[in-house]
Amino acid sequence: MTTYPTPVTDRPGHARPGGTTAARDRRRPPLVRLFAGEREDARWLRPAFWALLVLTAVVYCWDISVSGYANSFYAAAVQAGTKSWEAFFFGSLDSSNFITVDKPPASLWVMVLSARLFGFSSTSLLLPQALMAVASVALVWGTVRRTIARLGTTTANVGALLAGFVVAATPAAALMFRFDNPDALLVLLMTAGAYCTVRALPKGSWRWIALAGVALGFAFLTKMLQGLLVLPAFGLVYLVAARSSWGKRAIGLGIAAVSLVVSAGWWVVAVALWPAESRPYIGGSTNNTVLDLVFGYNGLGRIFGGSGNGGGGGGMGGGTAGSSFGGSTGLDRLFSSEMGLEISWLLPAALVALVLGLVVVGRRHLADPARAGLVLWGGWLLVTGLVFSFMSGTIHPYYTVALAPAIAGLVGTGGALLWHARERVTGRLGLAAMVGGTAFWSWCLLNEDPTWLPWLRWVVLFGGLLAAAAIVVGSVPTLRRLVAVGVLAGTLFGLTGTTAYALVTTTVAHSGSIPSVGPAGSSSGGFGGGPGGGGMPGGTAGPGGSAAGSETDGSDGTQQGPGGQPPTGSMPTMPGGTTGEGASGEGTTGEGTTGVDGRTGGGAGVEGATTSAALTKLLAATDTTWSAAVNGSQSAAQLELDSDTAVMAIGGWSSDPTPTLAEFKALVAEGKIGYYISSGSGRGMGGGSSTASAIQEWVAKNYTSTTVGGSTVYDLTTAK
């Protein structure tokens, strides 16, 4: 007969199955428990939880519109979804459904519904993202609390509160939960999957593990294979820690697998069965299919390079990539460059917590809740972290937000276990290592930008090291109280660096496709914005340094995005009213017109730019299916936002083979495209293909050009 430990529960010491009626009657009604906790809980525990959620909501929602439409690529797709349910379903970039974005549409669905309900604006676009941060914090709290409940009510609640706070205080989270990229929903869904997995353990519940499969299925519909990187950890935890027979566990995993496939596959099947000629082209694919997107551009191409992804360390042009593309591959990648600033503040502490936490649980039963928690969060961190460290395709530093719940879970769970074992040498040394290691690494990270709060790094370093020393000295029996003092002080000092960097990140306007964390001087929009290669181990420069391995035009070193040049006359506008070329972050004062987010610039826009009033008026006056055609999704997206019209993105985001020259000629002949806006060389961001060049050459040969607001425009309704 198999003997299991006490069931996983968030109510230690309360009535359990088989308990007395009197014990069960002592429990408060569900609604009261939600806000006040159990009768046996310390009065401050549940109010502290709600205070954490309120604080997260205030910080993440405050001045949420400072970034305008943030990433105009996704913002344009949301705008399109508010005008067309077909665009909503497919995730089309334009309301006339020429091409989709290069990701599945789940994250767009949330933002579109918000925009349809409250009207399309920066606030309605980004507010759902911020609220996802609050939900993620709550789910991490609930998950950690259940796995360490046997350590005692206060210890379990404090560990859970610490874990929730760590999520909110992670710079990558402060960046992406206030941005319109898919990563916010991805993190929420993966965290929901972790919570459901833990809920499934006490009774081996197939319903809860099926819900975990549903969560991961929609994570797949958010960012495809990245959403499944946590699957091995979830499956392993249920298989070894669920309180049921092996046969029932196998059945439960089978049901979870089916629920995952159904929740992830229904949209894929619907798109596959939909006639290709009556739906938009699947952006990012080479053959207009979702499966090519899954296994190519957004799948194996990301890991091994190719399929529209850069190779050799994640750069777009090969070689060692700069901060915009994650740096060179290796175990130090997560600690280097921009990645280090976004996610690694508490990574050393999390690794210590994982290893020594497993030592502390020792030979407990495999179904021990605390061990299950360590395996769940540790498996999440190790699998995802190793993939991020060694993938050779395109990777951006903000991807690391997917590690935030795992790091938080390990810090909360492992820290609570080591505190519970503080009477043992392993417990005290483990706590000291977490505190001291965090202090030293925070000093290293803060030292990357010595002009920003220069005193802070020294306070964190000396305060943290003194706290670690107090924990070690507390080994002397007469000085045991120093352990508690050291842990409390060490926690405060250890969280200071990451919290400060997260807070300053929320005060900076972020735009472009590759946002970065930190103060205004270290952040910029467009391609390659933010700190350079990183002066930390494995990096090439500090914040503001060069981005090694980025594509340049060969003359002034400015970085060009995928496909090359923006439309003639356009300059990306950085927060603060300056414009830059490509992604170099260097530019001149913007002049001329005001765009939708109040910034200035001239010409037809690429990411972060604005469109001239003259060109906006010209496009808004059209009544064709597409007001204009332009090379690349980035240019098309900004034109759509500024003119509130559908714009055809030739070549999509990554030089997609659409439309062909013959198809373009046919659409022009049918009067479906009003204007063609030149990209100068025929290469726009995403439109750098021979087809795009052929289209531009054909247009220039057959139609007369005029200059509108600094852009070269061809009227396709009147041939030469």
Side-chain angles (χ1 to χ4, degrees):
M1 178 177 178
T2 303
T3 302
Y4 291 100
T6 303
V8 181
T9 174
D10 60 354
R11 297 181 294 276
H14 300 155
R16 295 188 172 89
T20 65
T21 302
R24 287 193 292 270
D25 289 343
R26 287 199 302 268
R27 298 192 62 196
R28 288 170 167 167
L31 188 60
V32 177
R33 288 203 307 272
L34 177 64
F35 289 98
E38 295 288 357
R39 298 181 190 276
E40 293 82 357
D41 291 350
R43 292 183 177 181
W44 61 270
L45 289 176
R46 191 55 63 97
F49 163 68
W50 285 107
L52 174 61
L53 295 190
V54 170
L55 179 63
T56 303
V58 170
V59 172
Y60 277 65
C61 295
W62 189 267
D63 199 16
I64 190 69
S65 62
V66 66
S67 296
Y69 290 141
N71 189 341
S72 64
F73 179 61
Y74 294 114
V78 172
Q79 183 188 55
T82 63
K83 298 180 177 183
S84 164
W85 284 112
E86 184 178 348
F88 167 84
F89 179 78
F90 289 108
S92 299
L93 180 68
D94 60 284
S95 57
S96 294
N97 295 291
F98 172 70
I99 195 169
T100 70
V101 298
D102 60 347
K103 299 291 186 296
S107 66
L108 298 176
W109 292 340
V110 178
M111 291 183 283
V112 169
L113 292 176
S114 173
R116 280 183 174 266
L117 183 61
F118 300 107
F120 179 68
S121 67
S122 173
T123 300
S124 66
L125 179 74
L126 300 178
L127 185 60
Q129 309 290 88
L131 296 180
M132 290 176 194
V134 180
S136 297
V137 169
L139 286 169
V140 168
W141 173 86
T143 306
V144 171
R145 186 167 175 260
R146 284 178 170 272
T147 57
I148 58 177
R150 295 178 65 223
L151 302 182
T153 300
T154 301
T155 300
N157 276 274
V158 172
L161 287 170
L162 175 62
F165 186 88
V166 169
V167 174
T170 301
L175 177 68
M176 297 315 297
F177 282 110
R178 288 169 55 90
F179 209 71
D180 54 349
N181 278 25
D183 301 78
L185 181 61
L186 176 71
V187 171
L188 173 61
L189 290 169
M190 292 191 299
T191 307
Y195 177 78
C196 292
T197 299
V198 167
R199 288 296 302 267
L201 299 182
K203 298 180 181 179
S205 170
W206 65 266
R207 293 179 178 85
W208 278 108
I209 198 64
L211 287 176
V214 171
L216 293 189
F218 277 91
F220 175 87
L221 291 183
T222 301
K223 214 172 178 186
M224 293 194 164
L225 294 186
Q226 185 182 339
L228 303 184
L229 291 179
V230 297
L231 185 60
F234 293 2
L236 177 62
V237 166
Y238 183 81
L239 184 63
V240 302
R243 288 169 51 84
S244 61
S245 66
W246 286 102
K248 290 183 178 179
R249 284 180 246 179
I251 293 174
L253 286 179
I255 294 173
V258 171
S259 66
L260 189 157
V261 171
V262 172
S263 58
W266 69 270
W267 183 81
V268 175
V269 172
V271 174
L273 295 178
W274 202 295
E277 62 274 9
S278 61
R279 62 164 171 79
Y281 185 92
I282 304 302
S285 70
T286 59
N287 59 4
N288 197 17
T289 66
V290 175
L291 289 181
D292 181 74
L293 198 63
V294 172
F295 296 105
Y297 179 73
N298 282 330
L300 299 181
R302 296 275 171 171
I303 298 176
F304 301 110
S307 296
N309 291 275
M316 299 184 68
T320 302
S323 68
S324 300
F325 299 98
S328 57
T329 58
L331 289 175
D332 62 342
R333 179 187 259 185
L334 294 179
F335 297 91
S336 306
S337 189
E338 171 75 6
M339 279 193 176
L341 292 171
E342 294 204 9
I343 199 63
S344 73
W345 298 83
L346 294 172
L347 184 53
L351 294 174
V352 170
L354 173 61
V355 174
L356 294 186
L358 290 173
V359 171
V360 167
V361 298
R363 298 182 178 180
R364 295 183 190 176
H365 193 280
L366 287 176
D368 179 76
R371 184 198 299 277
L374 290 173
V375 173
L376 184 145
W377 299 119
W380 179 334
L381 176 64
L382 293 178
V383 173
T384 304
L386 288 173
V387 170
F388 284 174
S389 296
F390 291 99
M391 59 188 287
S392 298
T394 301
I395 180 172
H396 301 308
Y398 64 78
Y399 289 7
T400 57
V401 70
L403 297 173
I407 292 174
L410 287 174
V411 169
T413 303
L417 283 167
L418 294 175
W419 168 257
H420 192 67
R422 62 190 180 279
E423 298 299 325
R424 297 160 52 182
V425 174
T426 302
R428 292 192 296 274
L429 292 182
L431 291 170
M434 290 180 67
V435 170
T438 299
F440 173 73
W441 186 241
S442 295
W443 178 84
C444 293
L445 293 173
L446 290 170
N447 203 45
E448 286 300 300
D449 189 359
T451 61
W452 181 71
L453 299 182
W455 53 268
L456 182 62
R457 62 186 187 275
W458 298 109
V459 171
V460 170
L461 178 64
F462 289 118
L465 292 181
L466 286 174
I471 297 172
V472 174
V473 172
S475 297
V476 178
T478 58
L479 300 175
R480 285 292 167 87
R481 291 185 178 181
L482 283 179
V483 175
V485 174
V487 169
L488 178 60
T491 301
L492 294 176
F493 285 115
L495 294 176
T496 297
T498 183
T499 302
Y501 221 72
L503 284 174
V504 74
T505 297
T506 65
T507 67
V508 177
H510 297 97
S511 63
S513 55
I514 313 175
S516 57
V517 298
S522 300
S523 180
S524 62
F527 289 88
M536 290 165 281
T540 58
S546 62
S550 61
E551 288 193 297
T552 64
D553 65 3
S555 57
D556 61 358
T558 57
Q559 184 180 339
Q560 306 292 337
Q565 300 175 356
T568 303
S570 72
M571 295 281 280
T573 305
M574 305 301 178
T578 60
T579 60
E581 292 226 26
S584 66
E586 300 175 352
T588 59
T589 301
E591 57 184 33
T593 59
T594 301
V596 292
D597 55 3
R599 293 173 292 157
T600 58
V606 292
E607 184 69 47
T610 51
T611 309
S612 70
L615 184 55
T616 298
K617 183 178 180 180
L618 181 70
L619 298 184
T622 61
D623 58 0
T624 51
T625 304
W626 292 277
S627 64
V630 66
N631 289 340
S633 291
Q634 292 291 78
S635 300
Q638 193 63 52
L639 288 169
E640 287 180 23
L641 291 171
D642 291 343
S643 66
D644 197 26
T645 62
V647 177
M648 175 181 289
I650 298 173
W653 173 266
S654 54
S655 299
D656 300 328
T658 186
T660 65
L661 178 58
E663 290 170 338
F664 186 81
K665 288 180 179 180
L667 291 172
V668 172
E670 294 171 10
K672 292 187 175 182
I673 308 174
Y675 298 94
Y676 178 86
I677 303 175
S678 174
S679 300
S681 66
R683 296 180 63 191
M685 294 188 179
S689 65
S690 58
T691 300
S693 298
I695 288 174
Q696 178 151 313
E697 291 173 4
W698 176 79
V699 170
K701 181 179 179 180
N702 292 278
Y703 296 88
T704 303
S705 67
T706 58
T707 300
V708 180
S711 296
T712 302
V713 178
Y714 296 85
D715 185 351
L716 299 183
T717 63
T718 306
K720 286 184 179 178

